[in-house]
Amino acid sequence: MSTNVRFIRATPEQVFDVLADGWLFPVWVVGASRMREVDDDWPRVGSRLHHSFGVWPAVIDDETTVLEWDPPRRMVIQPAGWPIGEARVSVDVKPRGDGSLVRIRERAVKGPGAFVPSLVLDVPLYLRNVETLRRLAWIAEHRPHNDSTESRTSTPAD
């Protein structure tokens, strides 16, 4: 299992505000290239993001399902990108001083990726998630925030 940790100068609520906005997924998740649809009830357990990953013309349609949603503490999602397989990703957020300590854990759970030894798979996942957490930090730290402590769901402007 690959594990990355980063201090973000934003409250846990601000971090979860980004996570709750499904349309931002390809902005902070390395490899996600475009959003196709966000379920109306995102980020409730069982809801899905419909996105793609890769670079044109090698773009694969993918979807990510919420397995656990406990703002502002924990999110667990399961991205599915066949033929590569599926992964389980947890994001844990804890308040620390003037910000948050954010930990992301990722492991392959289905398909060919699940048969790759951890020592081989964890290195590229770790490197990718260094950048994923960097992007999440940039958005959470610089996005205009409301004073609400509840995460919100938004849709793109018409």
Side-chain angles (χ1 to χ4, degrees), residues 89-157:
V89 180
S90 63
V91 179
D92 294 291
V93 182
K94 294 183 179 189
R96 286 289 186 273
D98 63 344
S100 302
L101 195 61
V102 180
R103 180 182 67 198
I104 186 169
R105 290 183 175 176
E106 182 171 359
R107 65 183 167 93
V109 293
K110 289 184 182 178
F115 298 105
V116 176
S118 292
L119 291 173
V120 175
L121 190 58
D122 286 354
V123 172
L125 288 177
Y126 177 84
L127 295 173
R128 182 180 74 124
N129 286 331
V130 166
E131 178 63 18
T132 292
L133 285 177
R134 182 180 296 136
R135 293 177 183 190
L136 180 60
W138 284 337
I139 298 167
E141 292 171 355
H142 300 290
R143 185 175 193 205
H145 303 287
N146 60 29
D147 292 332
S148 171
T149 59
E150 292 183 22
S151 294
R152 65 176 173 80
T153 302
S154 64
T155 56

Side-chain angles (χ1 to χ4, degrees), residues 7-104:
F7 177 77
I8 296 179
R9 285 182 173 75
T11 66
E13 291 80 11
Q14 291 169 321
V15 172
F16 266 81
D17 192 47
V18 175
L19 300 177
D21 188 340
W23 291 101
L24 289 176
F25 191 77
V27 178
W28 65 272
V29 175
V30 173
S33 58
R34 67 178 175 211
M35 285 305 302
R36 300 187 329 273
E37 182 182 355
V38 175
D39 283 1
D40 290 338
D41 58 348
W42 177 268
R44 289 192 187 149
V45 172
S47 64
R48 290 181 278 176
L49 296 175
H50 306 271
H51 51 89
S52 304
F53 70 90
V55 178
W56 187 89
V59 176
I60 297 173
D61 287 344
D62 190 0
E63 69 179 32
T64 294
T65 304
V66 177
L67 302 179
E68 186 178 335
W69 180 253
D70 182 22
R73 291 169 289 284
R74 182 173 170 80
M75 173 180 81
V76 180
I77 55 177
Q78 187 152 329
W82 290 93
I84 296 169
E86 297 183 25
R88 177 111 1 114
V89 180
S90 63
V91 179
D92 294 291
V93 182
K94 294 183 179 189
R96 286 289 186 273
D98 63 344
S100 302
L101 195 61
V102 180
R103 180 182 67 198
I104 186 169

